[in-house]
Amino acid sequence: MTILEKVNILILLVTISYIMALSSLLSTIDDIPTQVAWLITFLTSVGLFRLLIILVYWLINRSDMLLSLYHREKFIKGLWTYRYEANGKCHSGIWRISQGVASLSITGYGVDEDGKMDSHFRSISQPFEHQGVDEIMFARTDIKSGDEHYSKSTLYIDPRSRRSWRSGPLDIRAQSVLYGYDEDGVRHAELILQRADNGLCEREIIERLTTNEPKAPSNLASVPLSAGQKGGRRKEESH
């Protein structure tokens, strides 16, 4: 049973409790005919159920703490960073993940060793589960050439990296299939995304990625893998 189903069942139970209580109350009032009591109960219970649905999901969407309780190990809202080395150059970037009760979207950009943006990307689908893992489609634009391509990324979210019930996981591994290149097909490479420090703005995060942090190990991803990656040797060099 999914979390969404559990929340809906809880709301339904509250509504049923209301129906029983209201029916019991109205039955003690002699001046209200039985048919009128049924009509009052039906109309108010439908209204209550709808109101609870709107209120509960509004509250969850507005609170990161409630969202983390709702999604648990799949609560990935926030800023994420990635780093990898390819062709002797270090690449890094940021994923911005927006998440609600039933929606998730990702935007972001890659930067070169000088901290200048060299690509930007966005999700063009909702995550869909396939063989126990989550997959999502991306569109990416190379800033230098203006070329756009597509990819399907598989996200391996590490539930054990979740530090408390109020937080989501801290690490995500990803793998992608690239489309739209001279060399289409599966590119088996590994990218590790890490949750960014909440106290830093994006400029400070990029400065740390490109100056203060050590270079990513070359065996981390011999072929860069992310929604912001291009396939083929020529594309890797221009990332």
Side-chain angles (χ1 to χ4, degrees):
M1 183 181 295
T2 65
I3 298 296
L4 181 62
E5 291 171 336
K6 291 179 180 179
V7 172
N8 288 337
I9 288 174
L10 177 62
I11 294 173
L12 181 60
L13 289 176
V14 171
T15 304
I16 291 174
S17 299
Y18 166 80
I19 292 173
M20 296 174 61
L22 182 60
S23 297
S24 177
L25 176 64
L26 294 178
S27 65
T28 62
I29 304 176
D30 297 331
D31 295 338
I32 300 179
T34 302
Q35 293 83 354
V36 175
W38 286 351
L39 182 62
I40 293 173
T41 302
F42 173 75
L43 292 177
T44 57
S45 61
V46 169
L48 176 65
F49 181 75
R50 179 60 179 167
L51 180 62
L52 287 176
I53 289 281
I54 294 173
L55 179 61
V56 168
Y57 288 117
W58 181 83
L59 288 173
I60 294 175
N61 279 318
R62 295 290 242 172
S63 170
D64 285 353
M65 184 183 71
L66 293 178
L67 273 175
S68 67
L69 286 172
Y70 181 84
H71 290 291
R72 294 182 297 180
E73 68 273 6
K74 291 191 176 183
F75 176 62
I76 56 175
K77 178 181 178 181
L79 289 177
W80 295 76
T81 63
Y82 66 88
R83 289 170 58 86
Y84 61 82
E85 187 174 321
N87 299 323
K89 295 182 179 180
C90 188
H91 303 275
S92 55
I94 285 180
W95 281 24
R96 302 189 193 107
I97 301 182
S98 300
Q99 190 172 26
V101 170
S103 65
L104 185 145
S105 63
I106 302 173
T107 60
Y109 52 87
V111 297
D112 58 22
E113 290 183 309
D114 297 323
K116 296 180 180 179
M117 187 185 301
D118 57 14
S119 64
H120 58 83
F121 48 88
R122 68 191 187 282
S123 60
I124 55 175
S125 76
Q126 289 298 307
F128 51 94
E129 187 171 320
H130 178 64
Q131 296 181 345
V133 294
D134 293 309
E135 297 183 336
I136 189 168
M137 298 296 298
F138 287 91
R140 176 192 182 277
T141 301
D142 181 78
I143 292 178
K144 185 177 180 180
S145 66
D147 294 338
E148 185 174 88
H149 73 277
Y150 302 92
S151 67
K152 180 180 70 176
S153 289
T154 302
L155 307 180
Y156 300 89
I157 302 171
D158 183 4
R160 294 192 176 185
S161 67
R162 188 184 185 198
R163 293 292 179 257
S164 71
W165 61 271
R166 298 184 60 181
S167 67
L170 302 178
D171 298 298
I172 298 176
R173 292 177 182 268
Q175 219 175 41
S176 288
V177 180
L178 308 179
Y179 306 97
Y181 288 120
D182 296 336
E183 300 181 24
D184 283 349
V186 179
R187 306 300 296 260
H188 295 286
E190 182 179 277
L191 177 75
I192 298 179
L193 294 125
Q194 295 183 325
R195 193 180 289 274
D197 188 336
N198 289 332
L200 300 178
C201 66
E202 288 188 21
R203 177 184 55 79
E204 293 171 324
I205 293 171
I206 292 298
E207 287 178 354
R208 286 194 175 190
L209 286 173
T210 56
T211 58
N212 298 333
E213 297 293 337
K215 289 185 178 292
S218 58
N219 62 351
L220 176 63
S222 58
V223 179
L225 172 62
S226 74
Q229 178 218 334
K230 285 199 167 190
R233 182 169 301 177
R234 179 179 61 85
K235 300 300 184 182
E236 290 169 16
E237 293 172 351
S238 63
H239 182 82

